[in-house]
Amino acid sequence: MFDQLHEKNRFDHEEIKEVMDLCLSCKGCKTECPSSVDVAKMKAEFLQHYYDEHGAGFRTKLIANFTDSQKLGSLVAQSIILL
């Protein structure tokens, strides 16, 4: 019981993250695969565990805060025009 609670995180692998980054989450694999494997769902589950362990990366945060980054970009563009 103790070993099960303190086992190493199975989702803590950079190699798996690299492979999952290639997935577009289009769910095409689910319709094409005879076993109906939903890789997009596996990707979402994996990334949740990975980000819980490592935190979200810059790219993920940038996409998650897209409207804020666009506001900042707009302010920078306006200041450049004023120069």
Side-chain angles (χ1 to χ4, degrees):
M1 180 80 171
F2 181 77
D3 291 335
Q4 290 176 346
L5 294 175
H6 292 83
E7 68 181 28
K8 185 178 180 200
N9 185 353
R10 295 179 300 203
F11 297 99
D12 190 14
H13 295 284
E14 191 63 34
E15 297 86 8
I16 298 174
K17 184 178 184 309
E18 289 174 11
V19 171
M20 290 297 177
D21 273 343
L22 299 175
C23 173
L24 301 175
S25 299
C26 67
K27 295 198 177 254
C29 54
K30 187 174 182 180
T31 57
E32 295 291 324
C33 179
S35 301
S36 297
V37 175
D38 191 353
V39 176
K41 187 175 182 178
M42 287 182 0
K43 176 185 178 181
E45 185 71 24
F46 169 78
L47 288 177
Q48 179 63 47
H49 288 283
Y50 188 86
Y51 291 152
D52 285 347
E53 186 74 24
H54 296 282
F58 176 73
R59 179 178 69 177
T60 305
K61 290 178 183 176
L62 187 64
I63 292 172
N65 298 311
F66 183 74
T67 55
D68 293 337
S69 64
Q70 293 303 307
K71 289 176 188 175
L72 179 63
S74 175
L75 292 174
V76 169
Q78 288 176 1
S79 65
I80 289 174
I81 291 172
L82 294 175
L83 292 176

